[in-house]
C-alpha cells in the first residue's frame, strides 16, 4: 500500500509539473495577444485577454498550492520510510555498538554523528533529491516547449550580417552552457566545504552534549577549563571553515550577479 501511494503521489507531481509547463506556454502566448491588442487598440481583444489572465491566474494559484502540498506529503512519507529503515539497521542491527571499538581498516571508517545522519542528513537528502529532480524535469520541459518558439522568433540574419536561421537559439544554448560550466568550476569547492561544515557543527554540538551529560564529573574534577578549551577548539574549526566558505562564495557571487545582469 505504501508503494502504491508513493507511485500515485509521484505520478500526480509529474502530471502537475507538465501542466505547469503548459501554463507557462499559455502565458507566453497570452503576452503576445495582450500586447498586440494594446498596440492595435482593440478594446474587445484587450478585455478578453484580461479575463483570460484572471482565469490563468486562478488556475496557477490552485495548481501551485496543491503541487507544494502534495510534494510535502511525498517528502515526509519518503523521509519517514528512509528514517525507519536506517534506524532499524542502526539499532536492531546493533551497529550503534560498533562506535565503541577502534576502527577496522578493512571495514572502512565508522559513521560519525549518527544522530545527525538520522535527523538532518536524511531530511537534506530527501529535499535535495526532490529539488534536483523536479528542477531538472522542469528545465528540460521548458527547453523542449520553448525551443520552437525561440527558433521561430529568431531573425534569419544574425546581427543583420549573415544568414543563420534560429541564431538566437544557438546563442542561448552556448550562453547557458558557459554559465553552467563556470558556475560548476567556481562553486564546486563549496560541496566538500559544506560537508565539512556539517561535521564540525555536529562535533561541536556533541561536545556540548557531553558536558551536559557529565556535569557532576566535570564539577567534581574541576575540569571546566579543559572542557571550555575543547569547545573553543571545535568552534575555531567552524569559524575558520566559515571564512573559507565566505571567500569562495564571494567569487561565485561576483560571477552569478554578472551573469544574471548580462541576461
Amino acid at each position: 500500500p505504501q508503494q502504491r501511494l508513493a507511485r500515485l503521489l509521484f505520478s500526480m507531481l509529474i502530471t502537475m509539473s507538465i501542466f505547469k509547463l503548459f501554463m507557462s506556454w499559455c502565458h507566453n502566448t497570452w503576452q503576445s495577444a495582450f500586447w498586440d491588442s494594446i498596440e492595435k487598440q482593440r478594446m474587445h481583444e484587450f478585455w478578453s485577454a484580461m479575463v483570460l489572465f484572471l482565469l490563468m491566474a486562478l488556475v496557477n494559484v490552485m495548481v501551485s498550492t496543491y503541487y507544494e502540498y502534495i510534494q510535502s506529503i511525498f517528502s515526509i512519507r519518503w523521509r519517514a520510510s528512509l528514517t525507519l529503515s536506517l534506524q532499524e539497521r542502526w539499532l536492531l542491527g546493533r551497529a550503534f555498538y560498533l562506535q565503541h571499538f577502534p576502527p577496522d581498516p578493512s571495514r572502512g571508517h565508522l559513521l560519525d554523528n549518527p544522530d545527525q545522519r538520522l535527523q538532518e542528513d536524511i531530511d537534506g537528502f530527501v529535499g535535495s533529491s526532490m529539488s534536483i529532480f523536479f528542477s531538472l524535469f522542469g528545465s528540460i520541459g521548458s527547453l523542449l516547449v520553448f525551443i520552437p518558439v525561440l527558433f521561430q522568433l529568431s531573425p534569419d540574419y544574425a546581427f543583420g550580417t549573415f544568414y543563420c536561421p534560429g541564431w538566437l537559439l544557438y546563442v542561448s544554448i552556448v550562453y547557458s552552457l558557459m554559465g553552467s560550466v563556470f558556475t560548476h568550476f567556481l562553486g564546486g569547492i563549496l560541496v566538500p566545504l559544506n560537508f565539512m561544515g556539517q561535521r564540525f557543527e555536529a562535533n561541536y554540538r556533541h561536545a556540548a552534549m557531553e558536558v551536559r551529560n557529565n556535569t557532576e564529573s566535570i564539577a567534581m574534577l574541576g575540569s571546566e577549563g579543559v572542557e571550555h578549551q575543547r569547545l573553543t577548539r571545535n568552534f575555531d574549526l567552524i569559524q575558520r571553515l566559515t571564512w573559507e566558505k565566505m571567500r569562495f562564495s564571494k567569487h561565485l557571487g561576483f560571477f552569478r550577479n554578472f551573469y544574471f545582469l548580462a541576461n
Side-chain angles (χ1 to χ4, degrees):
Q2 295 294 331
Q3 293 182 353
R4 288 197 297 268
L5 179 60
R7 294 192 187 99
L8 176 62
L9 294 173
F10 184 76
S11 301
M12 293 175 64
L13 290 174
I14 292 294
T15 303
M16 298 176 77
S17 298
I18 295 175
F19 185 78
K20 289 172 68 175
L21 291 173
F22 171 73
M23 293 302 298
S24 298
W25 177 83
C26 291
H27 184 264
N28 183 76
T29 306
W30 173 86
Q31 283 184 321
S32 176
F34 175 75
W35 291 111
D36 286 344
S37 65
I38 294 179
E39 181 181 1
K40 298 177 182 178
Q41 299 182 354
R42 297 176 180 176
M43 294 300 297
H44 177 70
E45 294 182 1
F46 172 79
W47 288 112
S48 298
M50 292 302 298
V51 172
L52 181 60
F53 173 78
L54 293 176
L55 293 176
M56 290 172 55
L58 179 61
V59 172
N60 268 324
V61 169
M62 295 292 293
V63 172
S64 298
T65 302
Y66 277 101
Y67 176 83
E68 294 178 357
Y69 180 71
I70 295 175
Q71 192 176 44
S72 298
I73 296 176
F74 184 80
S75 177
I76 190 60
R77 287 185 174 274
W78 186 11
R79 181 185 175 187
S81 176
L82 189 57
T83 300
L84 181 62
S85 175
L86 294 180
Q87 185 174 295
E88 289 179 350
R89 295 169 61 183
W90 183 55
L91 285 175
L92 302 184
R94 301 184 65 84
F96 67 94
Y97 195 65
L98 294 177
Q99 62 188 3
H100 298 289
F101 295 92
D104 186 359
S106 62
R107 297 182 179 179
H109 297 286
L110 293 177
L111 180 65
D112 60 329
N113 303 307
D115 52 336
Q116 179 194 11
R117 308 305 176 192
L118 290 173
Q119 184 269 327
E120 184 177 346
D121 288 6
I122 292 178
D123 184 32
F125 172 77
V126 172
S128 299
S129 298
M130 294 187 62
S131 176
I132 292 174
F133 175 81
F134 286 105
S135 296
L136 180 62
F137 182 84
S139 299
I140 294 176
S142 299
L143 184 67
L144 296 178
V145 169
F146 289 105
I147 274 181
V149 177
L150 186 59
F151 187 85
Q152 293 176 0
L153 294 177
S154 300
D156 291 336
Y157 286 87
F159 304 103
T161 56
F162 59 94
Y163 182 74
C164 183
W167 66 275
L168 283 178
L169 173 63
Y170 308 140
V171 171
S172 300
I173 293 176
V174 173
Y175 183 74
S176 299
L177 290 176
M178 290 178 58
S180 300
V181 171
F182 277 102
T183 301
H184 178 75
F185 176 76
L186 294 175
I189 189 62
L190 293 175
V191 176
L193 289 180
N194 287 329
F195 176 77
M196 293 173 63
Q198 289 184 347
R199 172 175 291 179
F200 292 161
E201 293 281 358
N203 290 339
Y204 180 81
R205 183 171 60 247
H206 180 69
M209 290 176 58
E210 286 187 339
V211 173
R212 186 188 63 184
N213 295 332
N214 299 278
T215 54
E216 295 181 358
S217 301
I218 295 174
M220 292 179 61
L221 296 176
S223 57
E224 295 86 354
V226 176
E227 295 298 332
H228 174 68
Q229 292 179 2
R230 188 160 66 99
L231 287 174
T232 302
R233 286 195 301 269
N234 286 329
F235 187 76
D236 286 342
L237 293 175
I238 296 175
Q239 189 175 12
R240 180 180 177 183
L241 184 67
T242 301
W243 280 103
E244 291 295 323
K245 290 171 61 177
M246 290 168 56
R247 182 166 65 92
F248 288 104
S249 297
K250 181 183 66 175
H251 299 161
L252 181 61
F254 276 127
F255 172 75
R256 291 181 60 185
N257 292 327
F258 175 78
Y259 181 80
F260 286 111
L261 183 63
N263 286 337

